[in-house]
Every structure is written in structure tokens, then in C-alpha cells.
Amino acid sequence: MATVIRSLGITGISGYPLAVEMAIIAGLQTTTIVGLGDSAIKVAKDRLLSEKH
């Protein structure tokens, strides 16, 4: 099952399109972040992993 969530990011008074893609596939649990994720995104990934267990 794959899903795309479309939203809008804001920087100052300018906006930019944002798309989050997610796929749930049976198998080993893993989280992959593709693109220009900053340190806040990488910390959120660690939080997701700690909440699973």
C-alpha cells in the first residue's frame, strides 16, 4: 500500500509544495528517509524506532 500526502511548507512569507510518500510493506521493519532531511528529521526517525519496541 502506497500513499502520497501533499502539503505546503512555509519559509517566511513564501510557500513551497511538499509531498510525503509512504509505503507499508510486509517484511523487516525499516525506516528510510530520502532527500534533504535535516537533523530534526533524523532525530524523529530515531524516536520512531524507539517507540516501536
Side-chain angles (χ1 to χ4, degrees):
M1 168 189 246
T3 300
V4 177
I5 300 171
R6 301 198 185 278
S7 187
L8 188 71
I10 300 175
T11 302
I13 60 171
S14 300
Y16 56 92
L18 180 66
V20 177
E21 298 180 14
M22 180 177 162
I24 299 174
I25 302 169
L28 296 174
Q29 295 180 355
T30 183
T31 303
T32 305
I33 298 173
V34 179
L36 300 173
D38 64 359
S39 60
I41 300 298
K42 293 175 184 170
V43 170
K45 177 183 173 182
D46 294 336
R47 289 183 186 161
L48 285 173
L49 293 175
S50 67
E51 289 179 13
K52 286 181 183 178
H53 296 98

